[in-house]
Amino acid sequence: MSLLSLENVHSYYGHIHALKGISLRIEKGEIVTLIGSNGAGKSTTLRTISGLIHPKRGKVSLDGKDISTMAPHLIVRAGIGHVPEGRGIFPRLTVKENLEIGAYTIDDDAEAERRMEYSFELFPRLKERLEQKGGTLSGGEQQMLAIARGLMLDPTLLMLDEPSMGLSPVMVDLVFDTIQKVNENGATILLVEQNALVALSVAHRGYVLQTGEIIISDTASNLRNDPTVQKAYLGVE
């Protein structure tokens, strides 16, 4: 049984048919990436999984349980963490307060503290900025905070939407090194990333979306060598 599966999922924004029969699966321990151009449906797929949009047709399952109509806060409690595009931190709250909000499902203070320390192991700079307001952090530090807040849930599945957006090359390398480390520590990751080359360098498998439909699915290695993917998304002529 797959950790997460989407079966013939159709999602809409009003009358706009955004996802047109998406089917995909994610196995425990994988990094799976969704690649495609702007408007392809990548972020909509994540929003559908996290319950911000409910599919009109099809089914989303987590560990075999249908979560298609579940409220977003219950999906979080079920173990799905979502780090949205644009980071979504609380700029007027401190780093510590942002992390504490990420731990709102935890009743055990010692466990919350353990998870915060794990975040500091991954991102030591956050510990240095603990009492600093989120809005005063650099773009890279805000992305660190957004990922760390998502990890406070200790998620069964962590979904990352455009984690490299607006970051310097050095910071992109740091963020993706951390994503690999988090995966090696046992987290399953669904990654949406405009930089397809970087995404395919860390992922195990990938899906290519085009106007709300999956047009290719394969291992990351095979996608990197696919002429269609190379021409459309990797800048290879």
Side-chain angles (χ1 to χ4, degrees), residues 16-117:
I16 299 172
H17 196 174
L19 297 183
K20 304 169 184 175
I22 293 288
S23 294
L24 60 82
R25 62 180 175 81
I26 302 173
E27 308 301 335
K28 187 175 182 179
E30 284 191 308
I31 300 177
V32 173
T33 187
L34 306 180
I35 60 176
S37 58
N38 288 334
K42 305 185 300 296
S43 294
T44 302
T45 301
L46 299 196
R47 289 171 62 83
T48 300
I49 294 168
S50 61
L52 299 172
I53 303 170
H54 293 311
K56 286 198 173 181
R57 299 202 304 278
K59 184 167 74 170
V60 181
S61 300
L62 179 67
D63 267 337
K65 180 180 179 181
D66 187 349
I67 62 170
S68 306
T69 59
M70 192 178 286
H73 70 284
L74 295 178
I75 290 176
V76 170
R77 288 186 178 277
I80 295 182
H82 186 174
V83 180
E85 179 181 350
R87 298 156 195 153
I89 65 163
F90 295 95
R92 297 184 180 181
L93 299 183
T94 66
V95 166
K96 183 179 181 182
E97 289 166 339
N98 269 274
L99 293 175
E100 287 172 342
I101 286 175
Y104 82 95
T105 61
I106 306 170
D107 296 325
D108 185 336
D109 290 343
E111 177 62 17
E113 185 66 27
R114 183 192 69 79
R115 295 185 190 180
M116 193 173 292
E117 286 301 322

